[in-house]
Amino acid sequence: MIDFDSSAVFKLKPIEMDKVREDFHQFLIDDETIFAAFKTIRDQLVFTNKRIIAANVQGLTGSKVDYTSIPYSKIQAFSVETSGTLDLDCEIELYISELGKVKFEVKGSFDLLGFNRLISHYVLA
């Protein structure tokens, strides 16, 4: 569950852009594009060129969805940690004003260095 009010670690799996929830596209503004997408079992998280959007699917049927949007201007600091020999997950930590630290563990193949360049561009702009 992606709930930014808790200090939980979110274990994410990268997904292809064609697997992103269709409703995310309804939230995008002019010139906003998704550059990275992830999922948990039912929830999804996307990074756009303007913000982070999370879809927290709720209830047994999954018909209720909570959407959280965090603009990059609210990120005070961030870190990335590459995977190692025994620890195959890479990590992304964001320090968000009003929320604190949010940590994501990314499973599987993911271009963390390319992601770091993109997130650096948008956070530092």
Side-chain angles (χ1 to χ4, degrees), residues 6 10 13 36 72 87 97-99 113 118:
S6 69
F10 304 105
K13 180 180 177 187
Y72 291 126
D87 182 7
S97 61
E98 306 300 324
L99 294 178
L113 299 177
L118 285 170

Side-chain angles (χ1 to χ4, degrees), residues 22-112:
E22 189 60 38
D23 47 357
F24 275 131
H25 298 285
Q26 297 172 24
F27 291 104
L28 302 181
I29 62 172
D30 291 342
D31 299 324
E32 185 175 16
T33 58
I34 297 170
F35 69 84
F38 304 92
K39 72 173 192 154
T40 63
I41 294 172
R42 297 192 321 167
D43 303 333
Q44 287 192 9
L45 178 80
V46 295
F47 288 79
T48 77
N49 58 325
K50 301 195 180 288
R51 60 187 160 162
I52 302 164
I53 307 171
N56 180 359
V57 178
Q58 302 175 351
L60 293 175
T61 64
S63 60
K64 182 177 179 181
V65 182
D66 173 69
Y67 297 94
T68 301
S69 179
I70 301 171
Y72 291 126
S73 62
K74 297 297 180 186
I75 297 176
Q76 297 171 321
F78 65 93
S79 69
V80 296
E81 180 180 301
T82 61
S83 58
T85 303
L86 298 176
D87 182 7
L88 301 178
D89 297 341
C90 59
E91 297 177 1
I92 302 165
E93 289 184 345
L94 305 173
Y95 299 85
I96 303 169
S97 61
E98 306 300 324
L99 294 178
K101 179 174 78 170
V102 178
K103 182 176 179 179
F104 303 103
E105 285 186 9
V106 180
K107 299 179 181 188
S109 178
F110 179 64
D111 180 10
L112 185 66

